[in-house]
Amino acid sequence: MSIIISDVEPRVQYTATAGQTSFTVGFEFFDNADLKVFNGTSLLTFSASPTNATQYSVSGAGQTGGGSITLGSPGATVNDVITISRDLAIARSTDFPTSGAFQIASLNTELDKIIAMAQQLERDQKLSPRVATTSSSSFNLTFPDMVAGKVLSANSGGTGLEFTVDASGLLTAEANAATSATNAGNSATAAAGSATSAENAKNAAEAALDTFDDDFLGSKSSDPSVDNDGATLADGALYFNTTDNVMKVYDLGNTQWKQLVPTTSQQTNIDAAVSNATNINNVASQISPTNNISTVAGLSSSISTLASMSGLSTLAGSATAVTTVANNLTAVNNFADVYRIASSAPTSSLNAGDLYFDTTADELKVYKSGGWAAAGSTVNGTSNRFEYTATANQTTFTGADSNSKTLAYDAGFIDVYLNGVKLANSDYTATSGSSIILGSGAAVNDILMIVAYGTFQLANISIKDLTDTPASIGTAGQALVVNSSANALVYSNASSAEVYGFEQYYNPSTLVRTVTVVSVGGSNKYFIDGVQQDTLDLYEGNTYIFNYPSGHPFKFSTTSNGTHGSGSEYTTGVTHNSSTQVTIVVASGAPTLYYYCASHSAMGGQANTPTPGSNAVRYITTNQGVDNITESQYANFDDVLFSASGFVFSINSNGNLIATI
């Protein structure tokens, strides 16, 4: 057995997560017995089939790069310290013959073991006391015999070690130091108590002074809005007004300053009010109980407006018309509900027959059981076509289409096609006249085609009354068609024999996957749309978009665990759009893939790349004899139909082939 001995320390240590069983051995070893495994300081036992966490199995013996050990169930508990060390016996196990063939393999094995033994000695030396490489002293130390009650110290010459210092003296010194520390602590506590008392007295005096300063604000020339500290005024606060020479008190309930005594001018006014008490009482009698003065005052604005109006006489002459409108107010209000003018369709108070003029589309619309529709035809002519290119998961299509035409239709007179397949009425909602809402979101770059039909009603006339038709009726089964000169109508056969060849094919889709990261048992794992390390089916031809956290780069490989498993990144059809999104277009014949985190091991899973089955159909016709179908084309058809010309084929929601003419 010949392996490469890596330049690594033959000892590794891990702090375990809850339930962790597998631990990597990052150095080489020759036999399972060469390893010692500890949980903390407890030596664990080797077993080929471990039954509990005190036993372990080994893999990778005799391999370059090392291997791993696996604990028995239930594994380590959280924060267990697992130490793995190589403990190779320092002995020579092979002797070479003095003659004969030179045993290269045995020599390599012996050299490998010698290097491994040297690594063990180097490891043990690192775990032992030693002099620093940069030390200026040269030591030749010999440990003296042990002496009870003494501590190890350097001798007086600094040339050796001795046991002479009495350990009891060190203990006494330690006790004395502790007593001194306690006494110092008591003194500090007493001093702190005195300081606290003095501080409390000072704080009490300052608080009393601050309270007085907040209650009496001193002299000011006008009413203050805050106290001397800039805080809210207290109820009952006082100050002397130097402008009016009066004391004022603050009424918090009414948030106003009130004078304790009136000024000279205020006293004069009070005396005047007393002398006019009779007149004041007369006014009061008109306020209670009739309150006539208040009533008139409340109508002052109306009285002024009425007085300024110049058309009162005209209004009086129209009294009969005004009375008629008042008697029919319900009908007037009802008209306001029935007919409205707006830039978008009303959504409330809707009844069949309601009208509104759409100022955006510049047309009159009527409310029907299916929603708002043009009072005339929305489509000018027999039909109008609209085409939209979908974004991922798009459901609502409205406004300008790919040809800058704004969608408009009459509810119930519309056909909707997705990628050429006509949709059933249950697959979409078309009631607004301006938008189509799919029941399921379309894929990116799907083509949605809408055919809106004009609404009109033909008069019941005879074919003989038409002036641009042949003079006589054609034969049975014939129809009116344009002649070869394209200048008149003639009777001709309604259809011709036709060959329809059908081919099944796969129409690829674009799908979006959401990738999250969740800690499971202390280790991060990828979750694909909520499923842990889901095994994916990435169908050939499809496009898949993965959105993932920026801290866990999402990549593909043909090797399990990617670069962590000695593999490389798979890049065919892969585009990294950003630090949080990657797109893969699965190539034809793509191998089985594995998704993984570029920064962390053991997070990903497998991605199969199956060949998809057909999900769409297309057909080729002879186009009423204009086109030919070759023999090779015919041989490749999945099915063939011989019929009259003019058929249009589609697949309904149940997957059935539908033919219409």
Side-chain angles (χ1 to χ4, degrees):
M1 166 172 45
S2 177
I3 60 177
I4 296 174
I5 303 299
S6 304
D7 184 14
V8 295
E9 183 176 335
R11 174 180 177 270
V12 291
Q13 197 170 64
Y14 299 93
T15 299
T17 58
Q20 185 174 353
T21 58
S22 180
F23 299 88
T24 300
V25 179
F27 54 83
E28 291 76 14
F29 55 96
F30 300 89
D31 296 299
N32 295 342
D34 292 345
L35 297 181
K36 282 189 176 180
V37 181
F38 298 84
N39 187 339
T41 58
S42 299
L43 180 63
L44 306 184
T45 305
F46 168 79
S47 173
S49 299
T51 59
N52 55 64
T54 66
Q55 298 178 343
Y56 64 91
S57 61
V58 179
S59 65
Q63 297 180 6
T64 298
S68 64
I69 66 102
T70 302
L71 299 182
S73 179
T77 58
V78 66
N79 293 328
D80 277 356
V81 177
I82 305 299
T83 304
I84 307 171
S85 177
R86 184 171 64 209
D87 189 23
L88 183 66
I90 300 179
R92 182 173 179 185
S93 58
T94 302
D95 195 14
F96 300 107
T98 58
S99 61
F102 190 64
Q103 301 177 13
I104 300 298
S106 297
L107 177 60
N108 280 334
T109 299
E110 280 299 310
L111 292 176
D112 289 341
K113 289 186 176 181
I114 290 172
I115 296 300
M117 295 173 192
Q119 286 182 342
Q120 287 182 197
L121 294 175
E122 182 183 32
R123 176 202 62 203
D124 294 342
Q125 184 184 22
K126 290 180 180 178
L127 299 175
S128 302
R130 64 186 187 276
V131 176
T133 303
T134 58
S135 174
S136 60
S137 302
S138 176
F139 293 89
N140 185 13
L141 298 180
T142 301
F143 273 82
D145 293 335
M146 303 290 283
V147 179
K150 304 295 183 180
V151 296
L152 182 65
S153 62
N155 60 20
S156 59
T159 59
L161 301 176
E162 60 185 10
F163 287 101
T164 57
V165 178
D166 193 347
S168 61
L170 296 178
L171 296 176
T172 299
E174 180 183 9
N176 292 339
T179 299
S180 297
T182 300
N183 292 339
N186 292 337
S187 298
T189 300
S194 298
T196 299
S197 298
E199 183 67 18
N200 290 340
K202 178 179 77 71
N203 291 341
E206 290 177 349
L209 179 60
D210 184 60
T211 300
F212 176 77
D213 185 56
D214 292 339
D215 291 339
F216 180 68
L217 308 183
S219 300
K220 299 183 184 297
S221 60
S222 61
D223 295 342
S225 59
V226 293
D227 66 14
N228 291 336
D229 293 331
T232 303
L233 292 169
D235 197 19
L238 298 169
Y239 92 95
F240 182 77
N241 187 294
T242 58
T243 302
D244 298 330
N245 291 322
V246 293
M247 286 291 295
K248 286 191 175 185
V249 63
Y250 188 69
D251 178 8
L252 180 62
N254 294 308
T255 62
Q256 61 181 233
W257 287 97
K258 294 185 176 181
Q259 295 177 193
L260 297 181
V261 295
T263 63
T264 301
S265 60
Q266 289 172 339
Q267 186 62 54
T268 300
N269 292 335
I270 293 172
D271 293 340
V274 172
S275 65
N276 287 283
T278 301
N279 294 332
I280 294 172
N281 290 333
N282 289 335
V283 173
S285 66
Q286 293 300 314
I287 296 176
S288 178
T290 60
N291 205 16
N292 293 330
I293 295 175
S294 178
T295 300
V296 173
L299 297 172
S300 62
S301 176
S302 299
I303 293 170
S304 298
T305 301
L306 186 62
S308 65
M309 293 177 64
S310 60
L312 290 178
S313 59
T314 302
L315 179 63
S318 303
T320 301
V322 172
T323 301
T324 301
V325 171
N327 292 336
N328 293 278
L329 190 58
T330 300
V332 173
N333 290 333
N334 182 58
F335 178 77
D337 288 337
V338 171
Y339 180 71
R340 283 163 275 186
I341 300 174
S343 60
S344 60
T347 59
S348 60
S349 301
L350 299 177
N351 298 291
D354 283 357
L355 299 171
Y356 99 93
F357 185 77
D358 187 341
T359 58
T360 301
D362 201 25
E363 64 179 346
L364 183 67
K365 294 189 177 181
V366 61
Y367 189 75
K368 302 179 181 179
S369 59
W372 288 103
S377 177
T378 300
V379 178
N380 183 19
T382 59
S383 66
N384 205 350
R385 299 175 184 273
F386 305 89
E387 180 176 319
Y388 295 88
T389 300
T391 58
N393 296 317
Q394 183 174 355
T395 57
T396 300
F397 296 81
T398 188
D401 70 351
S402 300
N403 298 314
S404 301
K405 293 166 55 180
T406 301
L407 178 63
Y409 63 87
D410 295 319
F413 296 90
I414 185 172
D415 287 334
V416 180
Y417 298 82
L418 184 63
N419 295 326
V421 178
K422 185 177 181 295
L423 301 183
N425 292 341
S426 60
D427 293 335
Y428 62 90
T429 300
T431 58
S432 68
S434 60
S435 65
I436 300 295
I437 303 175
L438 300 183
S440 300
V444 66
N445 294 329
D446 277 359
I447 301 300
L448 187 82
M449 295 191 66
I450 301 166
V451 181
Y453 299 99
T455 60
F456 57 90
Q457 193 168 26
L458 292 175
N460 186 16
I461 61 175
S462 171
I463 188 69
K464 296 179 180 179
D465 295 331
L466 299 177
T467 59
D468 293 331
T469 59
S472 60
I473 298 295
T475 60
Q478 287 188 321
L480 281 173
V481 297
V482 178
N483 65 11
S484 59
S485 300
N487 57 13
L489 294 175
V490 297
Y491 286 103
S492 180
N493 293 333
S495 62
S496 60
E498 196 79 81
V499 177
Y500 292 90
F502 298 91
E503 295 178 339
Q504 298 183 55
Y505 70 101
Y506 178 71
N507 186 22
S509 302
T510 298
L511 300 98
V512 180
R513 296 285 185 261
T514 299
V515 182
T516 55
V517 176
V518 179
S519 177
V520 179
S523 298
N524 285 335
K525 304 295 180 183
Y526 275 139
F527 279 66
I528 311 297
D529 289 336
V531 179
Q532 179 183 344
Q533 296 172 293
D534 191 16
T535 298
L536 305 177
D537 284 331
L538 306 182
Y539 287 95
E540 293 180 3
N542 275 358
T543 299
Y544 296 88
I545 300 172
F546 292 86
N547 295 310
Y548 57 87
S550 60
H552 299 278
F554 192 89
K555 295 181 181 296
F556 297 95
S557 177
T558 57
T559 303
S560 178
N561 207 18
T563 55
H564 306 291
S566 300
S568 58
E569 181 184 0
Y570 177 81
T571 58
T572 302
V574 177
T575 302
H576 291 280
N577 305 317
S578 67
S579 62
T580 60
Q581 188 183 82
V582 63
T583 298
I584 180 172
V585 180
V586 184
S588 176
T592 298
L593 300 176
Y594 299 87
Y595 59 93
Y596 69 99
C597 174
S599 300
H600 308 94
S601 177
M603 285 182 56
Q606 184 170 327
N608 299 319
T609 57
T611 301
S614 299
N615 64 354
V617 66
R618 58 186 167 221
Y619 65 91
I620 299 175
T621 76
T622 51
N623 195 16
Q624 301 184 29
V626 176
D627 297 328
N628 293 322
I629 295 178
T630 65
E631 182 177 355
S632 60
Q633 283 180 310
Y634 189 87
N636 289 328
F637 289 151
D638 295 306
D639 201 356
V640 177
L641 174 66
F642 298 93
S643 181
S645 62
F647 281 90
V648 175
F649 296 91
S650 62
I651 297 178
N652 67 5
S653 59
N654 296 322
N656 297 322
L657 183 66
I658 304 299
T660 57
I661 187 171

